[in-house]
Amino acid sequence: MAKQKQMIHVLSFLFLVLLCGCESKEEVRVGLVLDFESVVGDLTSSYMSMAVSDFYAENANYKTRISLIPRDSNHDVIAAASAAIDLIDNEEVIAIIGPQSSSQAKFVIDLGGKVQVPIISFSATSPSLCPIESPYFLRTTLDDSAQLKAIAAIVRAYGWREIILIYEDTDYGNALTPYLTDIFQEYDTRMPYRSVIPPYSDEDGISKELEKLKAMSTKIFLVHMTASIGSKFFVLAEQAGMMTEGYAWIVTDGLSSLLDPVSSIAIDSMQGVLGIRPYIPALKKLENFTARWRKNDRLKNLNLFGLWAYDTVWAVAKAVETVGIVQSGFLKKNVSTGGVDLATLGISEMGPRLFTTILSTKFQGLSGNFTLVQGQLQASTFEVFNVIGKTERIIGYWTPEKGLSRDLNDKSIELSSSTNTLKAAIWPGDTTDQPQKLRIGVPKTTGFSQFIDARNDPQTNKTIVSGFCADVFLEVVDKLPFPLPYEFVPYEKDGHNAGTYDELLYEIYLQNYDAVVGDSAIVANRSLYVDFTLPYTESGVSMLVSMKDNEKKNIWIFLKPLSLDLWVTTSVVFIFTGLVIWVLEHRLNTDFRGPPDQQLGMIFWFSFSTLVFSQREKIVSNWSRFVLIIWFFVVLILTQSYTASLASMLTVKRLKPSFADVREIRNNGYYVGYQKDSFVKELLTKQIYIDPSKLRAYTTPEEYHVALSKGSHNGGVAAIFDEIPYINAFLAKYCSGYSMVGPTYKTAGFGFAFALKSPLVRYMSRAILNVTEDEDKMEAITLKNFGRPITCEDGGGTTDYSGSLGVYTFGGLFIITGVASVSSLLIYIFQFLHSHWPASDTGHLEGSFWSKIVVLAKHFDQEDLSLHTFETDQARVHPDINPESIEVSPNVDDMQNHSMTSNEGVRYGEDEIHSSGNHDDTSADAPNITEM
């Protein structure tokens, strides 16, 4: 059968040559290597036959005529290479069109470079074949990598972050895989699996691979196959139930360009498939050709590879005429009589000029403008189509300048990758609902519904999710640079939550959910099987306790403002200050003299009387004044602080936490509560070391209230540990009588969970930052779900119960007054010793140290009459005596005999004055004191 087809093609070419030829026309042989039994080979040979006929009908005056010499490669690389050698050695062709496949082209390209014969392929699209690196190789088709950005734009536009690549295990399929991997990494799209289909796989092998793909969570597939394998693959995919709702399929231009010759059975199985292919402008020339093409009943459909083949023949014919007729033989290196020897192949004389001429040839062909750039065609526009029925519906276009657009005439100059720029597609299952929606699990909670609440709408039978976490998620999705299709799926069983939060998150790892939205705390052990976004709430676990009112009932409440150590310290400083003032004033001030018991009382009285500034004693010493200036400032601060603290205890701060330290709860064996299904239970047992038998689980804020009200001994709990957002929500409802106390155990807060290595985590985290930094937006969400915060007037809310004021609070004041008092005292003692130490060295007293100390003590206890204050006091006691008139007796002997001190002289004078008062004032014998 193959030989018969080949013979038919040869006869048709000869007929065309005879029809168009004449004696004045020079025939130029061009080789043709195709798989004539393949779909592409069968169709393109007919296209090229019409191309030769049309070209010379339009250019009848040309002096040259190309003659196509066909050879069948029979789907074999060796056969293709053998056919090329035969055409070069025996037919001495000036160029070879083909081979058809990329694997066949590899060897033939090297052969063409060796003999300088141009190898021109319209179907070898592998990126591994590079015209720049392969001399004498021209590609009149598109490199497969040219479509990658357009494919990535479609995937990004629909928000698909994961896609499975399915390709055939040939050079055509394998060569594109590295390029696809790179482009998807650039666009943050994962390829969790790559499916390789051998080219000669039977139906059982393909069906087993499809069952494996069906079991995966990703339902988006990119198919890179030729028509021969692709048509069979999609028929089996439909039989496997993978062409139904929820799936999405994209085909590359290798299959998109061949949809026309695909069987009707394969087309029926590809309903809803998206495809991408180079855009062919609607030219008048193409329209006329199409009309003539379809007159043949056997050939009704156009094919893109056929159009490229048609234009390739025209390009070669034009180049041949341009080059002209020269010596077109081969320069032989050696003549061998035994078969074909590669070493004996000659070098084409016409090849170099023909190659250069084809490279620069430009004209308008059926596929558009024929222009080779760096040895191959360049396409700047791709069309996106949707298979519906027996046809393909164009839903948009892609260009490097504008990205995706519905219409090529779109005037927008902005690069776009949004689905809004594409027409609505009909997906597998005959639905307009976009496939591969994220299955987002939400907890089915009964308490704290302000955070997340999932319920079923009986009218639409759809899940309605509300609450703070859901509202934040919606705002975050709105900030994403691409659409994110999703559906909420409650995690429930028999209308109740199906498990703990850890179990819910583990469902992502089991691929039952793609994400979890809810009040899920970011905890280290959970990050082993899911990836979290950045948190969107405050973090931490704290303790919630009831408040007790016992301060006002305490008769000793007046002692509460100051701690015991502060009371003791203040008393010591009071006594010390009174003692310093007494030392500084004792010799100078009559108010600080008298019997010992009176002086001791003065020490205590004076310092404590300064509390209310009621001291009446006058101060004489400047050092005492200095000490009191500092002391009054300290007293002012202490009294004001005491007054403020006591007033606070009696008015504002009436309540006190029943427990402020978790150690007290743990040591006394009290019961502790936590939220059911929360990770807090593990924190209590492993980090806080609470006995598991002392734990009680609760669900709603009402249960929290009842448990704390009862207390640990009455069936309730002493405290409840929970995350701070829940505690704040509880306090917003039960403001009075409860408080959050104790240390905060750090956690990362609430976050959205996704599968490990999900590319969505990065985008969601960035969007969360944008939302949380918008204070107005977050405030609106908070008010919607929690209402306005309530201000508790009786101590509710967060309490850092600190109790009485301590010594450390006033440490600076005590240091200042201590330094002032000690400095003044030391200076006074130094001056006293400096003035009176010699006075203790008397003849009738022992010169021992202790005797001197005794004398100094006596001196200290004596009044210092040199101070003006004492003179004023004497004058006040005896106003009739002028102190200035008192003179010392001139009897020097008496003074020496008595050895009187100055103070004794004063006392003597006083005795004389008192004794003289007993005599008659008129006595003539009264001695004259001034004369004495």
Side-chain angles (χ1 to χ4, degrees):
M1 184 66 181
K3 292 182 178 180
Q4 292 177 355
K5 279 191 173 184
Q6 183 176 359
M7 184 61 66
I8 292 173
H9 289 301
V10 171
L11 291 175
S12 63
F13 289 140
L14 293 175
F15 173 75
L16 289 172
V17 171
L18 291 174
L19 182 66
C20 301
C22 59
E23 294 182 358
S24 61
K25 306 300 181 182
E26 183 71 26
E27 179 184 355
V28 179
R29 289 184 294 252
V30 175
L32 180 63
V33 180
L34 294 175
D35 297 327
F36 285 104
E37 290 187 356
S38 68
V39 176
V40 174
D42 184 36
L43 284 174
T44 54
S45 62
S46 299
Y47 275 86
M48 287 188 285
S49 298
M50 290 188 67
V52 173
S53 176
D54 293 345
F55 182 81
Y56 289 112
E58 184 175 322
N59 302 283
N61 60 333
Y62 277 17
K63 296 179 180 181
T64 58
R65 292 291 185 271
I66 64 171
S67 175
L68 299 178
I69 311 299
R71 293 290 186 271
D72 191 352
S73 58
N74 293 316
H75 301 282
D76 185 71
V77 175
I78 303 299
S82 177
I85 293 174
D86 177 53
L87 289 171
I88 294 172
D89 189 58
N90 298 322
E91 299 294 340
E92 294 189 345
V93 295
I94 62 169
I96 295 177
I97 299 178
Q100 183 176 314
S101 67
S102 298
S103 58
Q104 296 172 7
K106 282 186 177 181
F107 182 82
V108 177
I109 289 172
D110 293 337
L111 181 62
K114 180 178 180 63
V115 298
Q116 298 183 4
V117 173
I119 307 298
I120 310 162
S121 178
F122 58 85
S123 56
T125 59
S126 172
S128 62
L129 304 178
C130 182
I132 299 178
E133 299 175 357
S134 303
Y136 292 92
F137 172 56
L138 297 172
R139 178 155 47 194
T140 56
T141 183
L142 298 180
D143 182 348
D144 282 335
S145 62
Q147 62 187 318
L148 296 183
K149 289 188 176 181
I151 294 173
I154 295 174
V155 173
R156 182 180 176 87
Y158 286 107
W160 297 325
R161 312 316 302 174
E162 292 185 347
I163 190 169
I164 292 178
L165 174 63
I166 306 172
Y167 61 96
E168 63 179 62
D169 191 13
T170 61
D171 285 343
Y172 168 77
N174 293 324
L176 189 63
T177 303
Y179 297 88
L180 283 170
T181 302
D182 292 342
I183 195 69
F184 284 142
Q185 285 182 350
E186 180 182 345
Y187 284 84
D188 290 330
T189 301
R190 289 180 60 207
M191 281 199 300
Y193 181 73
R194 291 184 293 183
S195 176
V196 183
I197 307 296
Y200 300 107
S201 297
D202 56 13
E203 292 186 358
D204 290 339
I206 296 177
S207 296
K208 289 180 180 179
E209 183 66 19
L210 286 171
E211 289 299 325
K212 185 187 298 184
L213 296 174
K214 188 177 180 180
M216 297 182 180
S217 60
T218 303
K219 307 299 180 184
I220 310 299
F221 304 102
L222 174 63
V223 180
H224 181 57
M225 294 179 179
T226 56
S228 57
I229 302 177
S231 57
K232 181 169 58 176
F233 177 84
F234 276 102
V235 172
L236 295 174
E238 184 183 32
Q239 294 176 3
M242 298 176 67
M243 301 303 297
T244 57
E245 185 175 356
Y247 288 88
W249 298 84
I250 304 175
V251 293
T252 61
D253 63 358
L255 190 55
S256 300
S257 303
L258 296 173
L259 283 180
D260 288 338
V262 173
S263 66
S264 60
I265 297 177
I267 289 293
D268 292 339
S269 65
M270 296 176 67
Q271 298 301 301
V273 171
L274 292 185
I276 185 171
R277 62 190 174 200
Y279 168 70
I280 304 300
L283 302 173
K284 185 66 175 178
K285 185 177 181 179
L286 178 61
E287 184 180 346
N288 295 334
F289 176 83
T290 303
R292 290 187 296 111
W293 179 262
R294 289 181 176 175
K295 287 181 181 180
N296 189 333
D297 292 339
R298 187 176 63 87
L299 302 173
K300 293 184 178 180
N301 298 317
L302 290 176
N303 177 263
L304 185 56
F305 283 107
L307 299 180
W308 284 328
Y310 184 96
D311 291 343
T312 300
V313 172
W314 275 58
V316 173
K318 280 180 173 291
V320 168
E321 181 67 20
T322 302
V323 171
I325 301 302
V326 294
Q327 183 67 29
S328 60
F330 283 76
L331 298 176
K332 300 290 185 178
K333 296 181 180 179
N334 249 328
V335 178
S336 176
T337 59
V340 177
D341 187 356
L342 293 180
T344 63
L345 293 178
I347 298 176
S348 173
E349 297 178 284
M350 189 178 179
R353 291 185 60 192
L354 181 62
F355 174 81
T356 305
T357 305
I358 297 174
L359 193 61
S360 60
T361 299
K362 297 181 181 180
F363 64 94
Q364 189 179 68
L366 294 183
S367 61
N369 293 327
F370 183 91
T371 303
L372 298 180
V373 179
Q374 295 182 340
Q376 62 185 7
L377 279 182
Q378 301 292 316
S380 59
T381 304
F382 288 87
E383 60 184 15
V384 183
F385 65 88
N386 186 202
V387 179
I388 301 175
K390 300 294 183 180
T391 61
E392 305 100 40
R393 171 173 167 262
I394 306 300
I395 63 173
Y397 301 89
W398 181 89
T399 60
E401 298 77 18
K402 296 188 297 184
L404 294 175
S405 60
R406 294 191 177 195
D407 194 339
L408 281 177
N409 297 323
D410 188 0
K411 302 300 182 182
S412 175
I413 60 174
E414 295 183 359
L415 186 66
S416 175
S417 61
S418 171
T419 54
N420 294 331
T421 58
L422 294 176
K423 298 176 183 177
I426 304 298
W427 302 99
D430 194 24
T431 178
T432 57
D433 291 338
Q434 184 176 328
Q436 191 62 21
K437 294 181 179 179
L438 285 180
R439 286 176 54 84
I440 299 179
V442 291
K444 185 74 173 180
T445 59
T446 55
F448 294 99
S449 59
Q450 308 98 315
F451 291 95
I452 193 74
D453 184 26
R455 63 184 185 278
N456 187 59
D457 188 349
Q459 296 181 351
T460 61
N461 198 28
K462 292 184 178 181
T463 301
I464 299 177
V465 178
S466 60
F468 175 81
C469 300
D471 290 343
V472 172
F473 175 77
L474 295 177
E475 292 294 335
V476 170
V477 169
D478 189 56
K479 297 289 185 181
L480 294 176
F482 49 82
L484 185 67
Y486 61 87
E487 60 177 343
F488 290 118
V489 182
Y491 183 58
E492 62 179 344
K493 183 179 181 181
D494 299 329
H496 301 285
N497 209 32
T500 65
Y501 276 73
D502 287 338
E503 294 170 341
L504 168 60
L505 293 171
Y506 197 72
E507 292 292 321
I508 298 178
Y509 184 79
L510 298 177
Q511 298 185 358
N512 295 326
Y513 294 128
D514 300 308
V516 166
V517 169
D519 44 351
S520 305
I522 303 173
V523 185
N525 67 314
R526 294 175 176 176
S527 64
L528 298 175
Y529 47 86
V530 296
D531 277 346
F532 286 100
T533 63
L534 290 177
Y536 57 89
T537 63
E538 59 182 321
S539 62
V541 173
S542 192
M543 183 170 65
L544 177 68
V545 298
S546 60
M547 305 289 287
K548 61 181 181 179
D549 185 4
N550 62 350
E551 295 291 358
K552 292 181 66 178
K553 299 176 182 179
N554 188 353
I555 62 174
W556 302 105
I557 190 173
F558 66 92
L559 296 176
K560 293 290 184 179
L562 305 183
S563 61
L564 177 61
D565 55 350
L566 183 56
W567 278 116
V568 173
T569 303
T570 304
S571 301
V572 171
V573 174
F574 268 75
I575 296 173
F576 177 73
T577 304
L579 179 63
V580 170
I581 296 298
W582 177 82
V583 170
L584 296 176
E585 294 290 326
H586 178 66
R587 300 184 69 246
L588 309 177
N589 194 336
T590 57
D591 290 337
F592 288 83
R593 299 188 63 81
D597 56 343
Q598 181 178 353
Q599 295 184 50
L600 182 63
M602 177 59 67
I603 292 174
F604 286 94
W605 157 252
F606 182 82
S607 59
F608 282 95
S609 65
T610 57
L611 283 173
V612 291
F613 305 100
S614 60
Q615 70 284 356
R616 293 175 295 176
E617 295 75 15
K618 57 185 178 179
I619 299 301
V620 176
S621 173
N622 287 330
W623 289 115
S624 298
R625 294 188 180 104
F626 170 71
V627 171
L628 286 180
I629 289 174
I630 304 299
W631 176 244
F632 285 155
F633 176 73
V634 174
V635 168
L636 179 64
I637 298 299
L638 284 174
T639 54
Q640 293 296 324
S641 300
Y642 175 85
T643 303
S645 181
L646 181 60
S648 176
M649 289 183 174
L650 294 175
T651 56
V652 177
K653 204 169 191 176
R654 296 191 298 268
L655 298 179
K656 174 184 178 181
S658 53
F659 301 98
D661 191 349
V662 67
R663 288 175 295 183
E664 180 182 357
I665 297 175
R666 183 176 58 233
N667 295 337
N668 292 327
Y670 294 144
Y671 283 94
V672 173
Y674 66 96
Q675 187 176 170
K676 185 180 179 182
D677 299 331
S678 172
F679 76 96
V680 176
K681 178 181 180 181
E682 185 176 358
L683 182 144
L684 289 172
T685 56
K686 294 184 178 181
Q687 295 187 32
I688 307 180
Y689 306 109
I690 301 294
D691 187 351
S693 63
K694 297 298 182 180
L695 299 180
R696 290 175 175 171
Y698 301 100
T699 303
T700 65
E702 292 75 15
E703 293 179 356
Y704 281 21
H705 171 62
V706 173
L708 289 172
S709 300
K710 289 181 178 180
S712 180
H713 298 296
N714 299 316
V717 293
I720 289 179
F721 284 82
D722 209 341
E723 295 173 83
I724 291 176
Y726 296 113
I727 295 179
N728 290 336
F730 173 84
L731 293 174
K733 184 174 183 179
Y734 297 97
C735 183
S736 175
Y738 299 99
S739 179
M740 180 167 59
V741 298
T744 298
Y745 301 92
K746 290 296 183 182
T747 61
F750 294 164
F752 303 127
F754 290 86
L756 290 173
K757 298 182 180 179
S758 172
L760 284 173
V761 174
R762 182 192 310 175
Y763 290 98
M764 293 292 290
S765 296
R766 291 174 183 169
I768 285 174
L769 290 178
N770 291 331
V771 173
T772 54
E773 289 177 358
D774 189 343
E775 296 182 359
D776 294 337
K777 180 66 68 177
M778 290 302 296
E779 182 180 2
I781 295 175
T782 303
L783 290 177
K784 174 185 175 183
N785 294 282
F786 301 105
R788 294 193 175 277
I790 302 174
T791 302
C792 297
E793 297 181 356
D794 53 358
T798 302
T799 302
D800 183 14
Y801 188 75
S802 57
S804 306
L805 298 173
V807 175
Y808 187 80
T809 307
F810 303 98
L813 291 175
F814 290 141
I815 291 174
I816 293 174
T817 187
V819 170
S821 298
V822 171
S823 300
S824 301
L825 182 62
L826 291 177
I827 294 174
Y828 175 79
I829 292 175
F830 176 78
Q831 292 177 343
F832 176 78
L833 293 176
H834 179 73
S835 301
H836 296 87
W837 185 269
S840 64
D841 190 14
T842 58
H844 62 280
L845 294 176
E846 296 180 2
S848 67
F849 174 79
W850 289 111
S851 62
K852 295 179 180 181
I853 295 299
V854 171
V855 173
L856 284 175
K858 291 181 179 180
H859 274 292
F860 176 77
D861 191 50
Q862 294 175 359
E863 295 177 341
D864 189 355
L865 297 181
S866 63
L867 190 66
H868 175 71
T869 303
F870 281 104
E871 296 177 355
T872 304
D873 291 341
Q874 294 292 344
R876 187 172 63 250
V877 174
H878 303 284
D880 54 337
I881 299 178
N882 185 3
E884 295 179 356
S885 64
I886 301 176
E887 297 181 0
V888 180
S889 173
N891 192 341
V892 177
D893 295 335
D894 293 339
M895 294 177 62
Q896 292 176 349
N897 293 332
H898 291 288
S899 299
M900 297 175 59
T901 65
S902 60
N903 288 336
E904 290 175 341
V906 171
R907 285 195 297 271
Y908 172 81
E910 290 177 353
D911 293 338
E912 290 296 331
I913 292 173
H914 287 294
S915 63
S916 64
N918 295 329
H919 294 83
D920 189 2
D921 294 338
T922 59
S923 175
D925 297 330
N928 191 346
I929 296 177
T930 58
E931 293 178 358
M932 292 176 65

